Amino acid sequence: MNAIDIEGHSLPMLEDPSLPIPNFARYHHQKKKSQVIENPTFKKVTKLYNKFVEKTILPKLIRQLKSDDLKTQTFSIMKLRTLLSQDCVSIPMLKQLNGIPVILSYLKMHKNPELQAEAAWACSAIAAGSSDDTKIIVEEGVIEILSYLLTTNNVEVKLNSLDALSNIACDCTKYRDIALKKDVLSRLIGIIRHEPDKPLPLIRSAASCLSSLCGGTPQPDESINEHALPIILSLLQSEDDEVVASACWAISYLSQGSDTKIQSIIDSGIVPYLVRLLDSKNPSILSPALKSVGNIVTGNDYQTQCVIEANALPLLRVLLENKAFRQEAAWTISNITAGNSNQVQMVIQAQLIPPLVHLFTSEDCEWDVKKEAGWAIANATENASNQNIQYFVRNRCIGPLCLIIASARNDDQLLSAGLGGIKNILNAGENMGNLPNYCQLIAETGLIHYIDRYRRTAQHVRTYKEHHSPTNVSDLIAAANKEDYEKDPNSLIEQIGRPFVKSESGKIEVDMDMLKAMMSMEISVIDTHLFNIEQIMSYFKHTQEVKSHFDRVYGVQIQIYKEEPKEYQYLIDTIEPVQISTPIEDDDDNLSTFSGTSSHAHSTIHKKKKKKKKKK
């Protein structure tokens, strides 16, 4: 065996087909953006070896690929494919040596399927690299050649061609659309439907390629649904988890669109099969299945109802207890509660409200999860009956709503939704004669103290944005001090509604977070918040029964919230969800025992006239 010495390392030279290439890295190329797992022991050697490959081995392989000897051709294309799969070859260097046209010429050797299969594998390895690498082979016309190879009779050729096309299609939408125009979808469907004795690896590659053709933004033409959905339905019924997972990902991509696209998915009969997969124990299936269901319920009420009737609600309740999927589950429920009143009633009967509230008391629950749970609660108040509102109050929904309001400084939609949820509760309380009790529960959270401070701050910011056009908080404070507050800077705090916190030393500090958030808002947005706040406060101003309680709470110095809402978990630590399967009757005597907690709270509601689509 011949060897070359580089910096004290003896590296083998390729002289004959029997000499193996050292496996310095394990590389999986079936999916785009594969991960390279390197052994640290060989890290330096790998780098040296890659240099050696480019300078010595690669040029020799390119020369050998041009040989007329079949044995030499086979050995050379196999070794090149292996080097590409191990990420040992620079694609620009391969192009510089004119290796790309040689590889593509092997794809056209129809009398030698073994060479075609190896060349297709090499293309798959190249396309699994960077977008620049993929561009190099696409510009050489590889998509059309690989598409034609899907019509051959050799299973390995088709399998490797599908892997290459999958990697190319998911690189960018331009290449995806080229693949669709070159009949890749129709030929892929033909393989799944008509291939005799279909081997599982071939079906897996076909399902993966189908998923790649359905993905990307902007989405493919809507006509793809008509052709792809029937075959996706058959793949969903496969006994192989990898095939089912790819089918679910395809649906998750196709369902991110208009109600028309969502309706085509419903008409295909996919929804019942998809909902059943929410009970899967395999995360690789559960994740895209849940995303797909979540996308479908962003559609109209009929489309949402189809998911409910497929028995999704009990499965979503279970997923709320799954740490890995509870955020997606809460998001899905939030789009269901944004439906009509009957659908809100079904959510209540499925016992979904108590576990949503429980997320706010969970110590290991992230804020993003609580935010989605808050959206679900807030949306539910939009079309809820008076009795359903009372059910929400009894199940401690006021605390979470108030919590998201005070945490939504940089999220205009969230703040509006939270304020809307509280407004809906107060309105229902007025209709049922329970307004004093509801006002008391809200006042005990400290919300009124907070939103009044917010209101006065917003009014001040609005005035200065309108007349002075300050560009940042410093300009705002400087403008205020120059005009009226030079003698007593602290009066600025009074004028803008005391947006302050008290440090441990007792020093008063301006709440810069609140000011910064308002400074980034348009005046129209500030006006909307002010309108909602005025409406909420009007309920308290006209409720004499709670005036003494309100004055006591309002007069107490309460610290304003900081950036991290988790610091105020104590606000709802006492919440214990009450499980009631049906709406409760009015019971003024017992209502006060269902307190939302102590002081302050935040609110998170996806307030939607139409359901808001959220892509994740």
Side-chain angles (χ1 to χ4, degrees), residues 14-17 57-77 79-80 102 106:
L14 289 178
E15 294 292 346
D16 61 80
I57 298 180
L58 187 58
K60 183 172 183 178
L61 281 177
I62 299 301
R63 290 195 301 270
Q64 291 177 343
L65 283 170
K66 297 176 182 179
S67 169
D68 293 330
D69 180 66
L70 179 60
K71 183 177 179 182
T72 302
Q73 289 177 334
T74 304
F75 159 74
S76 301
I77 191 64
K79 294 304 181 185
L80 179 58
V102 176
Y106 274 53

Side-chain angles (χ1 to χ4, degrees), residues 112-182:
N112 197 323
E114 182 181 2
L115 294 181
Q116 285 182 305
E118 291 293 336
W121 193 340
C123 290
S124 177
I126 293 172
S130 68
S131 293
D132 290 338
D133 293 345
T134 305
K135 181 180 179 182
I136 289 173
I137 59 171
V138 170
E139 289 178 342
E140 295 288 340
V142 72
I143 294 178
E144 185 172 6
I145 301 172
L146 291 170
S147 177
Y148 177 77
L149 291 180
L150 299 183
T151 65
T152 64
N153 295 323
N154 186 278
V155 171
E156 286 299 318
V157 172
K158 284 191 279 196
L159 189 153
N160 291 343
S161 297
L162 285 167
D163 287 343
L165 287 166
S166 178
N167 283 341
I168 292 170
C170 70
D171 185 86
C172 68
T173 56
K174 177 182 177 181
Y175 301 158
R176 176 205 66 194
D177 293 341
I178 293 175
L180 289 170
K181 289 178 182 178
K182 298 300 181 182

Side-chain angles (χ1 to χ4, degrees), residues 12-42:
M13 292 183 64
L14 289 178
E15 294 292 346
D16 61 80
S18 64
L19 185 62
I21 294 178
N23 186 17
F24 293 113
R26 298 175 59 195
Y27 207 113
H28 177 57
H29 276 294
Q30 275 194 313
K31 300 289 184 182
K32 190 70 178 176
K33 310 305 178 191
S34 307
Q35 290 184 348
V36 178
I37 306 173
E38 293 185 347
N39 186 329
T41 306
F42 296 110

